[in-house]
Protein backbone atom coordinates (compact mmCIF):
# COMPACT_ATOMS: atom_id res chain seq x y z
CA UNK A 1 0.00 0.00 0.00
CA UNK A 2 1.29 3.45 -0.91
CA UNK A 3 2.17 5.91 1.86
CA UNK A 4 -0.10 8.90 2.23
CA UNK A 5 2.59 11.50 1.45
CA UNK A 6 6.14 11.81 0.16
CA UNK A 7 8.16 14.96 0.83
CA UNK A 8 10.85 16.37 -1.40
CA UNK A 9 12.87 19.51 -1.04
CA UNK A 10 10.26 21.60 -2.92
CA UNK A 11 7.29 19.33 -3.49
CA UNK A 12 4.89 17.18 -1.59
CA UNK A 13 3.57 14.08 -3.35
CA UNK A 14 0.22 12.68 -2.28
CA UNK A 15 -2.17 10.23 -3.89
CA UNK A 16 -4.00 11.77 -6.84
CA UNK A 17 -7.72 12.25 -6.15
CA UNK A 18 -10.79 12.35 -8.35
CA UNK A 19 -11.28 15.99 -7.27
CA UNK A 20 -7.99 16.82 -9.03
CA UNK A 21 -9.56 15.99 -12.38
CA UNK A 22 -11.15 19.45 -12.62
CA UNK A 23 -7.74 21.16 -12.85
CA UNK A 24 -6.25 18.30 -14.87
CA UNK A 25 -9.03 18.77 -17.44
CA UNK A 26 -8.17 22.46 -17.76
CA UNK A 27 -4.47 21.69 -18.18
CA UNK A 28 -5.09 18.76 -20.54
CA UNK A 29 -6.91 21.07 -22.95
CA UNK A 30 -4.08 23.63 -23.05
CA UNK A 31 -2.26 23.73 -26.45
CA UNK A 32 1.17 23.94 -24.76
CA UNK A 33 0.36 20.82 -22.73
CA UNK A 34 -0.66 19.06 -25.96
CA UNK A 35 2.66 19.96 -27.56
CA UNK A 36 4.71 18.74 -24.60
CA UNK A 37 2.76 15.57 -23.79
CA UNK A 38 1.10 14.42 -27.01
CA UNK A 39 2.95 16.24 -29.76
CA UNK A 40 -0.24 17.17 -31.56
CA UNK A 41 -3.47 18.89 -30.64
CA UNK A 42 -6.36 16.55 -29.95
CA UNK A 43 -10.07 17.02 -29.40
CA UNK A 44 -10.93 18.64 -26.09
CA UNK A 45 -11.11 16.32 -23.12
CA UNK A 46 -13.97 16.55 -20.69
CA UNK A 47 -13.79 16.16 -16.95
CA UNK A 48 -15.75 12.93 -17.37
CA UNK A 49 -13.05 11.64 -19.76
CA UNK A 50 -10.40 12.25 -17.13
CA UNK A 51 -12.51 10.81 -14.33
CA UNK A 52 -12.81 7.58 -16.36
CA UNK A 53 -9.06 7.62 -17.02
CA UNK A 54 -8.40 8.09 -13.31
CA UNK A 55 -10.87 5.34 -12.29
CA UNK A 56 -9.19 2.88 -14.66
CA UNK A 57 -5.72 3.63 -13.28
CA UNK A 58 -6.91 3.70 -9.67
CA UNK A 59 -8.10 0.10 -10.01
CA UNK A 60 -4.83 -1.14 -11.51
CA UNK A 61 -2.77 -2.83 -8.77
CA UNK A 62 0.41 -2.18 -10.79
CA UNK A 63 -0.17 1.58 -10.94
CA UNK A 64 0.07 4.50 -8.52
CA UNK A 65 -0.83 8.10 -9.31
CA UNK A 66 0.86 10.81 -7.27
CA UNK A 67 -0.25 14.45 -7.20
CA UNK A 68 2.55 17.00 -7.17
CA UNK A 69 1.89 19.89 -4.80
CA UNK A 70 3.82 23.07 -4.12
CA UNK A 71 3.35 24.96 -0.84
CA UNK A 72 2.32 28.18 -2.58
CA UNK A 73 0.27 26.67 -5.41
CA UNK A 74 -1.30 23.38 -4.29
CA UNK A 75 -1.82 20.71 -6.96
CA UNK A 76 0.33 21.49 -10.02
CA UNK A 77 0.62 18.15 -11.82
CA UNK A 78 1.11 14.46 -11.24
CA UNK A 79 3.34 11.46 -11.70
CA UNK A 80 1.99 8.13 -12.91
CA UNK A 81 4.06 5.23 -11.60
CA UNK A 82 2.75 2.35 -13.69
CA UNK A 83 3.68 -1.05 -15.02
CA UNK A 84 5.09 -1.81 -11.58
CA UNK A 85 6.70 -5.21 -12.02
CA UNK A 86 7.95 -6.66 -8.72
CA UNK A 87 9.53 -9.65 -10.50
CA UNK A 88 11.58 -7.60 -12.98
CA UNK A 89 11.84 -4.89 -10.28
CA UNK A 90 11.02 -2.09 -12.69
CA UNK A 91 8.30 0.44 -13.49
CA UNK A 92 7.47 3.31 -15.83
CA UNK A 93 6.89 6.93 -14.86
CA UNK A 94 4.83 9.48 -16.77
CA UNK A 95 5.42 13.03 -15.53
CA UNK A 96 2.70 15.63 -16.08
CA UNK A 97 3.16 19.22 -14.90
CA UNK A 98 0.06 21.12 -15.89
CA UNK A 99 0.29 24.38 -13.97
CA UNK A 100 2.35 26.75 -16.16
CA UNK A 101 3.95 28.47 -13.14
CA UNK A 102 5.27 25.09 -11.98
CA UNK A 103 6.91 24.12 -15.29
CA UNK A 104 10.33 24.80 -13.86
CA UNK A 105 13.14 22.22 -14.06
CA UNK A 106 13.71 22.27 -10.30
CA UNK A 107 10.05 21.35 -9.61
CA UNK A 108 10.06 18.42 -12.01
CA UNK A 109 13.47 17.23 -10.79
CA UNK A 110 12.39 17.31 -7.15
CA UNK A 111 9.14 15.47 -7.92
CA UNK A 112 10.92 12.79 -9.97
CA UNK A 113 13.73 12.46 -7.43
CA UNK A 114 11.20 12.08 -4.59
CA UNK A 115 9.24 9.43 -6.49
CA UNK A 116 12.42 7.59 -7.55
CA UNK A 117 13.61 7.44 -3.95
CA UNK A 118 10.28 5.95 -2.92
CA UNK A 119 10.30 3.47 -5.83
CA UNK A 120 13.82 2.28 -5.07
CA UNK A 121 13.44 2.13 -1.26
CA UNK A 122 9.80 1.27 -0.58
CA UNK A 123 8.83 -0.61 -3.75
CA UNK A 124 12.29 -2.24 -3.95
CA UNK A 125 12.57 -1.52 -7.66
CA UNK A 126 15.91 -1.52 -9.46
CA UNK A 127 14.98 0.37 -12.65
CA UNK A 128 12.69 3.20 -13.70
CA UNK A 129 11.83 4.11 -17.27
CA UNK A 130 10.37 7.37 -18.56
CA UNK A 131 8.91 8.15 -21.98
CA UNK A 132 9.12 11.79 -23.03
CA UNK A 133 8.40 13.43 -26.37
CA UNK A 134 11.24 14.92 -28.36
CA UNK A 135 9.18 18.14 -28.28
CA UNK A 136 9.80 18.40 -24.54
CA UNK A 137 13.55 19.02 -24.26
CA UNK A 138 13.17 20.51 -20.77
CA UNK A 139 12.02 17.18 -19.32
CA UNK A 140 14.74 15.31 -21.22
CA UNK A 141 17.33 17.70 -19.76
CA UNK A 142 16.04 17.10 -16.21
CA UNK A 143 16.22 13.34 -16.75
CA UNK A 144 19.81 13.52 -18.03
CA UNK A 145 20.83 15.72 -15.09
CA UNK A 146 19.42 13.12 -12.69
CA UNK A 147 21.41 10.32 -14.33
CA UNK A 148 18.77 8.81 -16.63
CA UNK A 149 20.21 7.39 -19.85
CA UNK A 150 18.52 7.83 -23.24
CA UNK A 151 18.16 4.21 -24.42
CA UNK A 152 15.65 4.24 -27.28
CA UNK A 153 13.36 6.32 -29.48
CA UNK A 154 10.00 5.42 -30.96
CA UNK A 155 8.59 7.06 -34.08
CA UNK A 156 5.02 8.03 -33.19
CA UNK A 157 4.12 8.40 -36.87
CA UNK A 158 2.77 11.92 -36.29
CA UNK A 159 5.97 13.90 -36.65
CA UNK A 160 7.10 13.23 -33.08
CA UNK A 161 9.35 10.70 -31.41
CA UNK A 162 9.08 9.29 -27.92
CA UNK A 163 12.45 9.23 -26.20
CA UNK A 164 12.89 6.39 -23.73
CA UNK A 165 15.05 7.07 -20.69
CA UNK A 166 15.95 4.67 -17.92
CA UNK A 167 17.85 4.68 -14.70
CA UNK A 168 19.12 1.95 -12.43
CA UNK A 169 18.97 2.40 -8.69
CA UNK A 170 22.73 3.07 -8.46
CA UNK A 171 22.64 5.57 -11.34
CA UNK A 172 20.55 8.23 -9.56
CA UNK A 173 22.84 11.23 -9.17
CA UNK A 174 22.65 13.18 -5.91
CA UNK A 175 20.35 16.19 -5.91
CA UNK A 176 21.23 19.76 -5.06
Amino acid sequence: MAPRELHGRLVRLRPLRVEDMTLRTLWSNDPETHRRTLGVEVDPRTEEDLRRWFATLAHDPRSEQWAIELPDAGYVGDLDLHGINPVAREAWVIPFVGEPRARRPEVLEDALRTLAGYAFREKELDRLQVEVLDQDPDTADVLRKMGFQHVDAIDNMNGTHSLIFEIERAGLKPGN
Side-chain angles (χ1 to χ4, degrees), residues 84-90 125:
I84 301 168
N85 185 331
V87 175
R89 299 176 68 147
E90 65 184 16
L125 301 179

Side-chain angles (χ1 to χ4, degrees), residues 38-164:
L38 300 173
V40 295
E41 285 196 46
V42 296
D43 291 336
R45 294 186 175 141
T46 66
E47 189 167 337
E48 183 57 32
D49 293 335
L50 289 180
R51 285 175 181 265
R52 282 193 301 269
W53 165 82
F54 176 71
T56 299
L57 292 178
H59 287 93
D60 181 351
R62 295 174 14 126
S63 179
E64 297 178 6
Q65 289 70 51
W66 292 91
I68 303 167
E69 289 190 341
L70 290 173
D72 60 343
Y75 170 58
V76 297
D78 46 75
L79 298 170
D80 176 13
L81 180 66
H82 69 280
I84 301 168
N85 185 331
V87 175
R89 299 176 68 147
E90 65 184 16
W92 286 83
V93 178
I94 298 176
F96 176 86
V97 179
E99 173 55 50
R101 294 172 299 158
R103 292 180 189 153
R104 302 185 318 264
E106 63 271 18
V107 171
L108 180 60
E109 180 180 351
D110 191 49
L112 286 168
R113 188 173 296 285
T114 302
L115 186 68
Y118 159 76
F120 293 146
R121 280 188 317 274
E122 306 290 325
K123 303 300 280 183
E124 299 180 343
L125 301 179
D126 290 330
R127 179 178 40 240
L128 291 176
Q129 298 168 304
V130 179
E131 179 180 343
V132 62
L133 284 184
D134 59 353
Q135 295 184 13
D136 186 3
D138 295 338
T139 297
D141 288 345
V142 166
L143 293 169
R144 285 184 189 99
K145 179 181 177 189
M146 292 176 64
F148 280 81
Q149 301 296 311
H150 176 213
V151 296
D152 203 0
I154 301 166
D155 186 344
N156 294 321
M157 310 299 271
N158 64 1
T160 67
H161 289 83
S162 290
L163 307 177
I164 308 301

